[in-house]
Amino acid sequence: MSAETQDRYIETKAQLSRLFQSVEASLNGESSHPFHAFRRQAMDKLQDLSFPTRRDEDWKYTSLNRLLVNEYGHQAAPKLEEGQLAPFVIGGEEVIQLVFVNGTWNKELSRLSAKPDFLVVMELKHALADPQYKTLIEAEWTQWALASDSALVAMNMAFAQSGLFVHIPANKVLENPIHCIHIHTKTDKPQLTSPQMFVVAGKSSQLTVVDSFVSLDADAVYFSNIVNRFVLEPNAVVYHYKLQNEALEAFQINHTEALVKRDGNFSSFVLDLGGRIVRNNISAFLGDSGTHTNLFGVYLGKGEQHIDSQTFIDHAFPHCTSNELYKGILTDRANGVFNGKVMVHKDAQKTNAYQQNSSLVLSERAQMDTKPQLEIFADDVRCSHGATIGQLDESSVFYLKSRGFNDEQARSMLQHAFLIEVLEHIHLDEVREKAEALVFAKFDS
Amino acid sequence: MLSIQNLHANIDDKQILKGINLEIKAGEVHAIMGPNGSGKSTLANVLAGREEYEVTEGSVTFMGKDLLDMEVDERSLAGLFLAFQYPVEIPGVSMSNFLKTIVNNRRTAKGLEELKAPEMLKLLREKIDLVDMDHGMLKRFLNEGFSGGEKKRNEMLQMALMEPKLAILDETDSGLDIDALRIVADAVNKLRSKDRSFLIVTHYQRLLNYIVPDFIHVLYNGRIVKSGTKDLAFELEERGYDWVKEEFGAASV
Ligand SMILES: Nc1ncnc2c1ncn2[C@@H]1O[C@H](COP(=O)(O)OP(=O)(O)OP(=O)(O)O)[C@@H](O)[C@H]1O
Ligand SMILES: [Mg+2]
């Protein structure tokens, strides 16, 4: 580690310490709450951990410097009108809509009318103080977080504002999604927000969570440092969608983990359109046999954007399947990174794992680094992986133009066509339509 | 309608077209025959504006305008249509989106409003029926997994929607069974009119029983070496191209 980098991050920690104290000072009576005690523990932990640098293999292409040199502030979230939400809304009354403004849950703008009684949606803070959930939260969230060696996870926990706890009991099905809209606005100092969500899906239950990350101000600068954890009890089905359209100077780090128990079915879909530096760490731990995991991703980079997706699927038990498809388009001077690790342990016989990453790189200065990694220690498995990096097929462009499409129309249709293969995996129509509209808007911008 | 003068074209510095002269008047049907590799597809692609081919000499006028100066899409909107010998497959582009865009682009270019959904659907279905395809094809991706015959019929469908002034058919009849061949011929014959012309590239006299051409040209080694009426096709079918090669091969080496 170079002395310069180390110094920088030491200063970062000191700065985060000051920020923590100033947040703490504004808490009044809440500072003795168990949730804050946990935040303090996380803050202590953060001091002992190192932020990753480009010397770490998994961070080779992404530097945190830009994110960590900022002096972050905290200020009260602004009031918003319902009309300001309109562009981000998905579906109607049937959707449970939770709105977070600069990291704080805005109850007025949220809509829980569609929430069935069986579904628990509450702040983690309250869940931790609730005798019914305390043990579960401690075992599967706070202890889990404190055991992590990621400085970014510790940082999220230390600065958590309105963490979300979702619990769907056994055998219940939520047909319509829970839609979390994370809105950011421009603030005096860059804002650090720490969205977090802990989802427990009971045996044979099913639910869908959609996270939209958006900004009201195109020039807002902020850092969303996200942590999500899903625990799928046996035979549960969970779909998680991240539709990321942050401001173009914003940063996002997304740490999402799933623990999938016997016969569970977990799908993660990540759409990355916005942000200056975006990093995903998505991991699925297959905790028993018979599980299925889907990891899908679409990324579109323009200008100076940097979008990095690290995924990990841990096949530790036999008879599990996983399917991973990431596709993206990079132009201007944008950078893309894909590092997909699939680990098939010795005992994970009959594993069926498929992984593919394909990118279109449309300008000379855009770049894609891709590294599919399949590590197989079992002998009776079906695994395949591949990566391609290419340009638009000029014969196809010519074909469309010969039918009267202008150059832009032809290229935009082919780019969209390239992504369709992934977008069509979005299982709810209204979510897919939203994702497609966002993709189209990005092509046109 | 189309006037080609002394057209020379290269690909990768290799000369393929070596001085083509051809006049096509409104309402005429011309057929081009010739052995493999003689430059038929090259001519078709140069006319459609494919950039890999470099025009080194000569000129082409289409509807009074300098064709070689026009963009590919401009040529199309001006009424030039090419049915490809090998249409590309484009997974991810739905047939319905593709065909709708074709129709609306043409309408916009003519200053007309875009078609409303029900009228659009009616139009598309009518033309799909014309080439005897299943309406379900609208949901498929462009040419993806289409059989050879389906691809060719799809080209005819696009031609019918585009109502071109000049349609160039590059071996649209190759590899078709007799039913598909009749469909292709019908699609052409339905469009024949006194102000629409066709340039039909084929290897087989059979097609010309269904679409009777006004003129037949033999393209050999980048030049039109012989022109005549439909009887020439019978002669070529019977005698093959060896006599053409013997007669003209020596001169060009
Ligand atoms: N992309 C290319 N690169 C190099 N040579 C090419 C290319 N395309 C065509 N050619 C060459 O140009 C010549 C003419 O090809 P063209 O396809 O025009 O022939 P054709 O008359 O259409 O033949 P066919 O009857 O087989 O369709 C051939 O010698 C061919 O090999
Ligand atoms: Mg040819």
Side-chain angles (χ1 to χ4, degrees), chain A residues 11-291:
Chain A
E11 175 46 38
T12 299
K13 285 185 184 174
Q15 196 263 318
L16 290 173
S17 237
R18 290 194 294 277
L19 180 63
F20 188 82
Q21 280 154 25
S22 100
V23 174
E24 203 167 40
S26 69
L27 286 178
N28 305 323
E30 262 194 56
S31 57
S32 58
H33 191 282
F35 190 66
H36 188 65
F38 167 55
R39 281 195 291 221
R40 206 177 287 134
Q41 267 181 292
M43 190 64 211
D44 289 344
K45 176 104 206 257
L46 173 60
Q47 297 298 345
D48 296 339
L49 293 170
S50 315
F51 284 105
T53 71
R54 293 181 63 167
R55 299 193 156 223
D56 295 291
E57 184 60 26
D58 289 350
W59 290 83
K60 196 166 155 194
Y61 299 104
T62 302
S63 161
L64 288 174
N65 284 349
R66 273 168 179 278
L67 288 72
L68 295 179
V69 293
N70 273 322
E71 172 125 3
Y72 291 102
H74 77 102
Q75 62 188 69
K79 281 240 169 301
L80 298 186
E81 304 290 320
E82 200 170 333
Q84 292 176 283
L85 278 185
F88 316 122
V89 167
I90 293 175
E93 292 286 327
E94 74 287 358
V95 173
I96 301 168
Q97 181 175 287
L98 307 173
V99 179
F100 299 84
V101 181
N102 294 349
T104 308
W105 191 351
N106 182 318
K107 299 227 162 71
E108 287 81 67
L109 294 176
S110 297
R111 190 182 55 215
L112 285 142
S113 51
K115 188 187 84 62
D117 287 339
F118 63 73
L119 185 73
V120 176
V121 175
M122 65 197 291
E123 283 188 65
L124 269 164
K125 180 165 69 183
H126 300 316
L128 191 59
D130 188 321
Q132 204 181 334
Y133 302 112
K134 186 175 184 295
T135 325
L136 174 66
I137 306 286
E138 281 178 354
E140 298 291 348
W141 179 256
T142 57
Q143 294 311 318
W144 165 81
L146 290 172
S148 165
D149 58 1
S150 159
L152 291 154
V153 169
M155 183 170 157
N156 167 281
M157 299 293 153
F159 292 95
Q161 295 150 274
S162 306
L164 191 65
F165 172 58
V166 176
H167 179 236
I168 182 164
N171 300 314
K172 296 294 184 191
V173 173
L174 190 70
E175 307 258 4
N176 293 302
I178 298 174
H179 182 205
C180 303
I181 307 180
H182 303 267
I183 300 186
H184 288 87
T185 62
K186 196 173 177 180
T187 46
D188 299 339
K189 269 191 185 173
Q191 186 110 0
L192 169 68
T193 65
S194 307
Q196 47 178 226
M197 180 168 58
F198 176 42
V199 176
V200 177
K203 199 168 168 180
S204 301
S205 67
Q206 176 172 335
L207 106 165
T208 303
V209 179
V210 183
D211 277 319
S212 289
F213 290 91
V214 297
S215 176
L216 280 184
D217 304 296
D219 58 348
V221 180
Y222 52 90
F223 173 12
S224 310
N225 181 30
I226 306 160
V227 174
N228 296 318
R229 183 165 197 242
F230 296 86
V231 173
L232 282 73
E233 294 300 335
N235 210 34
V237 179
V238 170
Y239 298 91
H240 181 227
Y241 294 95
K242 183 191 92 165
L243 308 181
Q244 186 273 110
N245 200 18
E246 306 270 29
L248 286 173
E249 286 303 321
F251 307 111
Q252 184 182 94
I253 308 266
N254 165 26
H255 183 111
T256 294
E257 270 194 40
L259 171 62
V260 190
K261 298 187 187 173
R262 193 179 180 90
D263 302 321
N265 192 323
F266 176 70
S267 294
S268 155
F269 192 106
V270 170
L271 174 64
D272 279 311
L273 301 175
R276 174 69 181 76
I277 295 176
V278 174
R279 160 75 176 221
N280 296 293
N281 293 314
I282 298 186
S283 314
F285 295 93
L286 314 183
D288 208 333
S289 51
T291 69

Side-chain angles (χ1 to χ4, degrees), chain A residues 327 393-421 424 440, chain B residues 45 48-51 71-73 76-77 81-84 87-93 97-98 101-102 105 141-143 155 158 162:
Chain A
K327 277 186 150 186
D393 174 34
E394 288 301 322
S395 309
S396 300
V397 176
F398 176 65
Y399 189 80
L400 294 181
K401 285 166 84 171
S402 79
R403 296 323 185 222
F405 289 59
N406 65 39
D407 193 68
E408 213 180 282
Q409 236 178 356
R411 288 177 194 280
S412 135
M413 188 174 270
L414 292 173
Q415 291 178 34
H416 188 249
F418 175 74
L419 300 177
I420 279 283
E421 191 193 351
E424 69 186 8
F440 266 119
Chain B
N45 277 286
R50 189 163 201 137
E51 272 154 24
E71 292 293 327
V72 179
D73 50 322
S76 165
L77 293 172
F81 175 83
L82 169 62
F84 287 84
V88 291
E89 299 194 9
I90 314 187
V93 169
N97 195 6
F98 171 67
T101 312
I102 288 180
N105 277 348
F141 288 141
L142 179 47
N143 287 325
E155 295 293 288
Q158 293 162 46
M162 297 178 79

